[in-house]
Amino acid sequence: MPIIELKNVWKEYGREVVLERLNVRVEEGEFVTIVGASGCGKTTFLKMLLGTEQATRGHLLLDGSTIPGEPDGSRGIVFQRYSVMPHLTVERNVMLAGELAANRFLGIAFGAQRQALREEARQMLEQVGLADATDKYPHELSGGMQQRLALAQALIKRPRILLLDEPFGALDPGIRRDMHELVLSLWRSQKLTVFMITHDLEEGFLLGTRLWVFDKTRLDVQAPGAYGARITYDLPVEKTSPPLASLNAQLADTARVLGH
Amino acid sequence: MKKLINRQPSKLTAVVLGLLPFALLLLLYLSASGARLAENPDDRLLPAFSTMAESIERLAFEPNRRTGEYVLWADTRASLQRLGIGVGLAALVGLVFGVANGAVPYIRATLSPLVTGLSLVPPMALLPILFIAFGLDELSKVMLILIGITPFIIRELQGRALEIPDEQIIKLQTLGANTWQIILRLILPQLMPRLISAVRLSLGPAWLFLIAAEAIAATEGLGYRIFLVRRYLSMDVILPYVVWITLLAFLIDIALRRFSRWRYPWFHAMQR
């Protein structure tokens, strides 16, 4: 059974069609990278997976049943910014998922349970390379380290799917490369299913096992909202040599028409 | 030479410049007071510092002949107690409703217009009602402070709660949190330092309401005292009392700021 399945999914805001006729299946363990001009519904699609937006038509299935209509523990997320809790130390940020599960009323763990959560958090922090920063607050970390923390915090919950919304968009190139290695190693070791939005085609080809291009197949220059975007390319990454130049040109065309 | 807007005073210069107006005011007072006293040694309007010192010594260190109390300390205790209870209750009520309004859209839709409406009522206009309803004792003074500053604190905290990035609220849900846990582990702790700064901002109005209420009906208190001795033109008491009230307000403000910086370092780092 596919982990995510879309059956004729549409998303409309009033008369504006954002996404139309999406039919796609994703198996467990795939790393899907999503590119497309801004305004082509990439973020809307991710929000539908997350549960903060609902499909207006069709069916969006997680493990064969309708995806929950609000965010919950089945789907983890890392945003470009603001993903971690500024008022908690690094360690407490990573312990958060366990603490929330341990005590439904207070959301705080005590005693042996707390020790166990701390131990687990330490191991996770070791994996993402933050072992030396456990007692720091997020504001004391660099942008890259904050994103490492956000990954650790999300992954310790063991979500069915991990959603990444341009997680490295605000980072320097060198730091981005480190983060690519980290994400790939976490994806392999934890057997994750990942959906990642990126602006950077090369990043998409580098990280993904499968690359989707969101684009409008029909584009009315007078009414850009009349038709929605679809997945115009669904490329299995290992088997194709990336047609970077032509894809980039197409995306730029759409972006011009949409005026972004 | 650089433009004036680009020139920065050194630390020492800044301190000296900062003290200068105080020194000038002091000097102005001394010369004016000296001139008046030279003309009329019984002048009460601008008393000499020595007269003020005598008065304060009498009020602070000699028991009152009638009550046996040390007047300055009894006044200070009474006023601080009213202020403390009033501001403390306002902070508590403000926190509860501010968090509830900021966190839950249904509560916000229900209560936010009411709070906005209440915040527009001039609290001083309610003072007669408070005196009628709660009598002339402590309760009406505390209630005036409470009614005067709570709407501001609620609105402030509600606004700050709405500024918490959606990303964090969503993230917490993906970590398995329910509504109550989001309030307890995200919104409440992030609003605590903001509560302190809201309280700091409302201390000025709180003092105003306290002194006003004491001026009208009280038997002790800093505000009561200055309005009492006004009848005898006792500037030698009023002026030191005003300085003392200012000092108290300053110390409370500093204490709150220090506490906030110590307890919530992440908040003050984010502010920069």
Side-chain angles (χ1 to χ4, degrees), chain A residues 191-252:
Chain A
K191 302 185 174 50
L192 303 168
T193 309
V194 182
F195 290 83
M196 172 170 152
I197 294 182
T198 174
H199 257 121
D200 181 351
L201 258 181
E202 282 177 59
E203 185 177 78
F205 277 107
L206 176 72
L207 293 180
T209 55
R210 188 169 173 186
L211 180 123
W212 290 351
V213 179
F214 276 53
D215 203 353
K216 303 209 176 203
T217 45
R218 295 175 292 176
L219 195 51
D220 184 340
V221 181
Q222 308 302 329
Y227 301 106
R230 308 194 62 200
I231 299 174
T232 51
Y233 289 90
D234 183 349
L235 306 169
V237 168
E238 298 97 323
K239 291 165 203 147
T240 30
S241 62
L244 281 175
S246 73
L247 274 177
N248 261 329
Q250 276 180 33
L251 293 182

Side-chain angles (χ1 to χ4, degrees), chain A residues 101-121:
Chain A
N103 186 324
R104 292 308 286 166
F105 186 69
L106 290 176
I108 298 174
F110 302 98
Q113 210 170 16
R114 188 191 185 86
Q115 268 314 316
L117 287 175
R118 174 170 288 153
E119 197 44 52
E120 201 188 339

Side-chain angles (χ1 to χ4, degrees), chain A residues 50 71-73 75 77 79 82-87 92 96 99-100 103-107 137 139 150 153, chain B residues 165-178 180-181 184-186 189-190 263 265-266 269-270:
Chain A
L50 182 61
D72 66 13
R75 291 148 289 164
I77 177 101
F79 295 104
Y82 304 127
S83 283
V84 296
M85 307 299 140
H87 62 288
R92 293 299 297 273
L96 199 50
E99 286 200 283
L100 293 169
N103 186 324
R104 292 308 286 166
F105 186 69
L106 290 176
Y137 282 99
H139 73 261
Q153 188 183 38
Chain B
D166 278 342
E167 283 92 337
Q168 287 171 20
I169 293 168
I170 292 168
K171 175 81 178 212
L172 215 62
Q173 295 180 61
T174 66
L175 299 180
N178 56 37
W180 175 245
Q181 287 179 323
L184 215 58
R185 291 298 314 266
L186 172 64
Q190 292 214 20
R263 189 69 187 76
W266 53 268
M270 280 184 355

Side-chain angles (χ1 to χ4, degrees), chain A:
Chain A
M1 186 170 55
I3 190 166
I4 288 287
E5 185 170 10
L6 281 80
K7 293 181 178 167
N8 192 32
V9 166
W10 289 62
K11 178 69 186 176
E12 295 140 306
Y13 293 106
R15 297 187 58 185
E16 188 190 347
V17 185
V18 180
L19 296 166
E20 61 177 55
R21 291 177 291 144
L22 298 183
N23 286 290
V24 71
R25 296 158 72 112
V26 176
E27 301 297 327
E28 198 162 351
E30 290 196 74
F31 194 135
V32 181
T33 50
I34 301 170
V35 298
S38 23
C40 273
K42 305 184 304 269
T43 299
T44 305
F45 175 74
L46 206 75
K47 283 180 174 169
M48 281 159 57
L49 289 179
L50 182 61
T52 53
E53 295 278 359
Q54 327 299 331
T56 40
R57 293 189 233 171
H59 299 283
L60 176 48
L61 307 177
L62 169 67
D63 288 322
S65 46
T66 304
I67 203 158
E70 61 179 355
D72 66 13
S74 61
R75 291 148 289 164
I77 177 101
V78 174
F79 295 104
Q80 187 169 3
R81 306 172 59 191
Y82 304 127
S83 283
V84 296
M85 307 299 140
H87 62 288
L88 297 176
T89 60
V90 166
E91 185 178 80
R92 293 299 297 273
N93 259 296
V94 182
M95 288 166 65
L96 199 50
E99 286 200 283
L100 293 169
N103 186 324
R104 292 308 286 166
F105 186 69
L106 290 176
I108 298 174
F110 302 98
Q113 210 170 16
R114 188 191 185 86
Q115 268 314 316
L117 287 175
R118 174 170 288 153
E119 197 44 52
E120 201 188 339
R122 291 254 158 103
Q123 283 171 16
M124 181 51 86
L125 286 169
E126 189 101 28
Q127 275 195 55
V128 301
L130 285 177
D132 297 331
T134 50
D135 292 326
K136 288 191 170 154
Y137 282 99
H139 73 261
E140 298 171 275
L141 305 179
S142 66
M145 282 163 78
Q146 286 189 22
Q147 291 307 71
R148 285 168 186 267
L149 175 58
L151 276 170
Q153 188 183 38
L155 289 180
I156 205 158
K157 182 72 183 166
R158 307 213 164 275
R160 287 291 290 150
I161 57 175
L162 178 65
L163 308 172
L164 305 174
D165 189 358
E166 295 191 40
F168 316 132
L171 304 179
D172 295 333
I175 311 277
R176 281 174 88 131
R177 269 195 296 283
D178 295 345
M179 295 299 291
H180 292 161
E181 281 171 29
L182 174 67
V183 164
L184 285 177
S185 81
L186 288 170
W187 170 66
R188 279 188 207 106
S189 66
Q190 308 222 2
K191 302 185 174 50
L192 303 168
T193 309
V194 182
F195 290 83
M196 172 170 152
I197 294 182
T198 174
H199 257 121
D200 181 351
L201 258 181
E202 282 177 59
E203 185 177 78
F205 277 107
L206 176 72
L207 293 180
T209 55
R210 188 169 173 186
L211 180 123
W212 290 351
V213 179
F214 276 53
D215 203 353
K216 303 209 176 203
T217 45
R218 295 175 292 176
L219 195 51
D220 184 340
V221 181
Q222 308 302 329
Y227 301 106
R230 308 194 62 200
I231 299 174
T232 51
Y233 289 90
D234 183 349
L235 306 169
V237 168
E238 298 97 323
K239 291 165 203 147
T240 30
S241 62
L244 281 175
S246 73
L247 274 177
N248 261 329
Q250 276 180 33
L251 293 182
D253 278 349
T254 308
R256 246 195 315 281
V257 174
L258 293 177
H260 286 284

Side-chain angles (χ1 to χ4, degrees), chain B residues 29 32 44 47 73 105 110 128 137 145 153 184 189 196 210 214 225 249:
Chain B
Y29 181 88
R44 304 191 63 103
W73 307 122
T110 313
D137 296 336
I145 298 175
I153 296 181
L184 215 58
I196 292 180
L210 174 72
E214 285 180 344
R225 192 68 52 197

